[in-house]
Amino acid sequence: MKVKKGDLVKVIAGKDKGKEGKVLRVIPKENKVIVENVRIVKRHQRPTQRLREGGIIEREAPIDASNVMVICPSCNKPTRIGYRFMEEKKVRFCKKCGEIVDKV
Ligand SMILES: [Zn+2]
């Protein structure tokens, strides 16, 4: 997966197109990501011990990882990601400005 937890991404396709948010979770098996404040769904929550009231809660639903682009922390633009080896570690870099996206 080119997208990792904690990345800032922009949605480039689908009904949430144009939205931006932080990746909360990646689901590699389904090639999906959960992005903060994107694709909010309301779910009915049964009362639990922790949440005595129950009721309707809002949470993010997974979206297709291919619908998002990583926003480069260096140039602040949605970009394609490339890979490069540094000190035998695979790191991601921005194809626009060439800067490393991952903190090494
Ligand atoms: Zn960049």
Side-chain angles (χ1 to χ4, degrees), residues 6-84:
D7 282 347
L8 196 63
V9 294
K10 185 173 188 128
V11 183
I12 49 151
K15 68 175 180 181
D16 298 297
K17 192 175 171 180
K19 287 186 185 170
E20 290 177 9
K22 205 169 82 178
V23 175
L24 300 176
R25 201 151 80 85
V26 293
I27 311 163
K29 247 195 293 184
E30 299 172 38
N31 201 38
K32 285 184 190 288
V33 291
I34 293 176
V35 184
E36 194 172 34
N37 295 322
V38 172
R39 191 69 58 89
I40 301 286
V41 289
K42 288 187 167 81
R43 279 177 44 168
H44 290 274
Q45 172 76 50
R46 280 203 204 123
T48 60
Q49 276 188 332
R50 200 166 54 85
L51 207 71
R52 208 169 297 163
E53 294 285 307
I56 296 169
I57 55 161
E58 294 190 339
R59 60 180 307 173
E60 288 90 352
I63 60 169
D64 230 51
S66 57
N67 284 357
V68 302
M69 261 183 142
V70 174
I71 297 175
C72 168
S74 301
C75 63
N76 281 315
K77 285 176 192 143
T79 182
R80 302 217 337 263
I81 294 292
Y83 289 105
R84 172 188 294 177

Side-chain angles (χ1 to χ4, degrees), residues 78-100:
T79 182
R80 302 217 337 263
I81 294 292
Y83 289 105
R84 172 188 294 177
F85 282 90
M86 272 179 73
E87 290 156 21
E88 290 171 23
K89 257 182 75 186
K90 198 170 159 189
V91 293
R92 299 176 302 162
F93 74 96
C94 166
K95 284 195 172 171
K96 279 211 171 104
C97 68
E99 288 295 322
I100 302 295

